[in-house]
Amino acid sequence: PPPPPPAFIGSSALFALYAALLAALYRAFNDEVREPYMDEPFHVRQTQSYCAGNWTEWDEKITTFPGLYAATALLVRGWAPGCELPLLRTVNLIPALATPPLLLAQLRLLYPSLSTTDALANSAVLSLLPTHFFFHFLYYTDSAATASVLLFLLLLSQQVASAGAPPERKRSIGSFGSSGGGGGLLLRLATGPLGVGGAAALALSIRQTNAVWLMHGVISASLTQLADGRSIDPAETRLLPASGALLLALPRKLPHLCARHLPVLSLLSGFA
């Protein structure tokens, strides 16, 4: 078989290094901080209540939605009923590991001319943003909330690119982009209204302020689709029609836009 391409080798090596860094810092953090830190007591108690089967119990001091707590309880209660603090913190390593691939895929989609080296470097720098990276080692909603928003924006961007670009310019997300077989079907399902809506529901269930990012994504996608589905490359935004032309096109395209984004719009309406 032919050797793997350099891009695959580079991304795999960088991901392995990132995973090793997470593991080392996770162990050091848990050795040093053995008790719930800052707001962790609220998140930990609520999740442990769910782990004990008390699904109707709710701490009124918590201001976020229970998505992370419920998902964690369903994930670990079968083999670790106590849901102890170190295990709960481990759950946050899942979105932590998902963040770099999601960022890399989004960068490649938005900036197709970006070199592999630059894409990898930018995804690494963004993944290590201190105000984001620190919370991977606490049982907070930040890591899962960010990863879920990145997933939503990635699927939405892919939906817009696939719908608006000519066939020879359509771009795909990694191995999901195969034109035939299960990969192509999975891509179509994931980037369809229900797939994007599911990612939006996940993001909103983890943190209510993600509603701002959902609205941002819908508005950005709608503006691009109003411009007759041109490429979402930022370098090409100068080709978008003037605001007056966009307003003229709105009545004609509004039903299609509402149908395309109906699941997300329904979520936002219910949230409001």
Side-chain angles (χ1 to χ4, degrees):
F8 175 80
I9 297 175
S11 59
S12 298
L14 191 61
F15 183 78
L17 182 62
Y18 175 79
L21 176 64
L22 283 177
L25 290 177
Y26 166 80
R27 180 172 181 177
F29 195 95
N30 277 280
D31 288 344
E32 187 68 25
V33 186
R34 298 178 179 273
E35 299 297 326
Y37 182 64
M38 292 196 300
D39 287 348
E40 273 190 317
F42 303 103
H43 304 305
V44 171
R45 283 198 300 266
Q46 186 60 52
T47 304
Q48 289 176 340
S49 294
Y50 286 169
C51 286
N54 301 322
W55 295 100
T56 58
E57 184 175 315
W58 181 252
D59 187 343
E60 294 184 355
K61 295 180 181 179
I62 297 176
T63 58
T64 192
F65 290 155
L68 176 64
Y69 317 138
T72 301
L74 292 173
L75 180 65
V76 305
R77 63 180 300 204
W79 49 278
C83 293
E84 299 298 330
L85 177 62
L87 179 61
L88 297 183
R89 288 174 174 171
T90 304
V91 172
N92 254 1
L93 296 182
I94 298 175
L97 290 170
T99 297
L102 289 170
L103 285 169
L104 181 60
Q106 184 75 305
L107 287 170
R108 285 174 167 169
L109 181 65
L110 295 177
Y111 305 96
S113 61
L114 196 66
S115 69
T116 299
T117 301
D118 285 344
L120 288 172
N122 277 280
S123 63
V125 169
L126 291 170
S127 299
L128 296 173
L129 185 69
T131 52
H132 165 71
F133 188 75
F134 169 75
F135 289 99
H136 293 330
F137 311 104
L138 294 171
Y139 187 61
Y140 268 46
T141 59
D142 297 63
S143 296
T146 301
S148 60
V149 166
L150 288 174
L151 175 63
F152 164 74
L153 293 176
L154 177 59
L155 294 179
L156 186 61
S157 297
Q158 177 66 36
Q159 179 192 90
V160 173
S162 297
E168 65 274 10
R169 296 191 58 194
K170 289 185 179 181
R171 296 180 292 277
S172 60
I173 308 170
S175 61
F176 292 98
S178 56
S179 58
L185 176 60
L186 184 56
L187 176 64
R188 290 192 294 273
L189 291 174
T191 59
L194 292 180
V196 175
L202 175 64
L204 194 59
S205 73
I206 295 173
R207 176 168 282 185
Q208 70 272 27
T209 52
N210 281 345
V212 177
W213 288 105
L214 302 186
M215 181 58 72
H216 160 76
V218 168
I219 293 175
S220 298
S222 297
L223 288 175
T224 302
Q225 290 167 331
L226 275 175
D228 294 325
R230 287 190 178 93
S231 169
I232 58 175
D233 268 351
E236 295 183 5
T237 55
R238 62 181 180 275
L239 299 178
L240 292 176
S243 57
L246 285 174
L247 290 175
L248 289 176
L250 182 58
R252 176 170 53 88
K253 294 193 174 183
L254 186 59
H256 170 75
L257 292 175
C258 289
R260 171 66 66 177
H261 302 296
L262 182 60
V264 181
L265 292 175
S266 300
L267 279 172
L268 292 173
S269 299
F271 173 77

